[in-house]
Structure formats: C-alpha cells, structure tokens
Amino acid sequence: MVATGKSESAVSLEWVGPTAVKVGVPSDYAISVRNTCNVPVQKVVVQMRVPTGVNVVSSEPKAEGNDSILMWELGTLLPKQERRLALKLMSTQRGDMPCQAWVTFTGSSVMKLR
C-alpha cells in the first residue's frame, strides 16, 4: 500500500448585505471567511479593494491598510471554522461600485509514518 499525504485546502469568501443602497446612508455588510476543508489552513489574509465612491465607516475586527485596500490577518482557521468581518460602508455617489475581496492562505498536507 502506498501512503499519500494529499490534501485539498480551500477557503471560501461570501459577501452578505444589501446590493442597493442610498447615497450618504451607511449600510451593514459582512464578509464570511470559511475554511471548507478538513485540515487547518494558516496565514489566512483577507483583502478588500474599496472602490471610488465608497467610504468605509467602520470594520470589526479593525482592518489595516489605506483608503483603497483594507486587510485582515486572521492567522489559522481550523477545519470548517468560519470568521465574519463586519463592515459599515457608505456610498458617496450614484452608480455601480464593485467591492472586491480576496483571500490568501497557506495549506498543508500531513502524512504519518510508523
């Protein structure tokens, strides 16, 4: 028998919140970050591009970064663990403003030898 240490690491992101808002009125959003695999993932970092015309009123946990790119360093996510990043965003102009988020992480594979 050949032992393998194959592991398929995956982390999902999901935006939660209204798709239509009024100019000048803050709205609540969340980015759900979930380890969808059965092994821990390390060095999980979520980043968000803030488009022109959107102000970030607040975030919990507090984001690092500047006005155009926000970043959250989440560390390790255990198997099936989920974290929510709460945001209060306010549109300052009319039109479509795509808020983009992405995640980077380090996966691993373990094989036990006897």
Side-chain angles (χ1 to χ4, degrees), residues 15 30 44-45 58 64 85:
W15 279 95
V44 178
V45 176
S58 65
E64 298 176 24
L85 308 174

Side-chain angles (χ1 to χ4, degrees), residues 23-85:
V23 173
V25 178
S27 298
D28 292 321
Y29 292 88
I31 301 173
S32 175
V33 186
R34 186 168 191 260
N35 177 359
T36 61
C37 61
N38 292 320
V39 295
V41 291
Q42 292 82 30
K43 298 181 183 179
V44 178
V45 176
V46 175
Q47 296 183 67
M48 175 193 154
R49 184 178 318 280
V50 182
T52 301
V54 172
N55 286 344
V56 179
V57 177
S58 65
S59 68
E60 182 60 40
K62 185 160 176 52
E64 298 176 24
N66 54 44
D67 291 339
S68 62
I69 301 286
L70 299 179
M71 180 177 69
W72 294 268
E73 293 185 18
L74 302 180
T76 299
L77 287 180
L78 299 175
K80 308 300 181 187
Q81 183 180 9
E82 181 176 348
R83 295 276 308 268
R84 287 177 70 89
L85 308 174

